[in-house]
Amino acid sequence: EREEQVDFVKYMYIGDTILVRAGNDLNIQSTDDLSGKTVAVTAGAVEELTCEAFNEDFESRGMDPITILQLPTSNDAVVAVQNAQADCMVYSAASAAYAMSQQPGVYSHWYCNKKR
């Protein structure tokens, strides 16, 4: 139904990034390293669904779930990471690159290699 109303670009995808504070000792190298961590997300956004999917996988493997910190906006999630209210956030690669360019040295990242 949406395709009748909007044009889609079939060759484009947005990968997810895990955005963390620079200099932290979390050692996040894969999505498995999110187990037991607090992850900030924009409430109702696709990143929340991504974390819920990670939790289903973690549960099936007997791992600790992610504590999902739902916040009103992506800016709130970025600030939660910056202020150590969350260990990290799952963010689109483009948005993470922008946040990192606006505050050099504050964040680092790891690519999830998960397509949406």
Side-chain angles (χ1 to χ4, degrees):
E1 291 177 22
R2 284 185 67 202
E3 286 182 312
E4 293 174 9
Q5 298 175 3
V6 297
D7 292 328
F8 287 92
V9 179
K10 296 179 192 264
Y11 57 85
M12 183 177 170
Y13 69 88
I14 298 173
D16 286 323
T17 297
I18 299 171
L19 190 69
V20 298
R21 285 180 317 283
N24 72 69
D25 60 355
L26 297 172
N27 196 29
I28 295 175
Q29 300 296 314
S30 74
T31 54
D32 281 355
D33 296 328
L34 297 178
S35 172
K37 303 285 190 294
T38 299
V39 179
V41 298
T42 305
V46 69
E47 292 84 9
E48 183 177 5
L49 299 174
T50 298
C51 287
E52 289 173 358
F54 289 154
N55 276 345
E56 288 177 17
D57 177 53
F58 293 164
E59 181 181 350
S60 74
R61 295 189 287 147
M63 298 170 67
D64 292 332
I66 294 169
T67 299
I68 302 172
L69 178 60
Q70 300 168 323
L71 296 163
T73 69
S74 61
N75 287 339
D76 293 327
V78 170
V79 170
V81 172
Q82 181 179 355
N83 294 334
Q85 294 170 303
D87 296 313
C88 59
M89 70 179 290
V90 176
Y91 211 18
S92 74
S95 297
Y98 180 75
M100 291 171 55
S101 75
Q102 294 303 297
Q103 294 183 297
V106 173
Y107 304 103
S108 62
H109 69 284
W110 179 82
Y111 290 105
C112 291
N113 295 323
K114 180 182 182 320
K115 297 179 184 177
R116 286 195 242 137

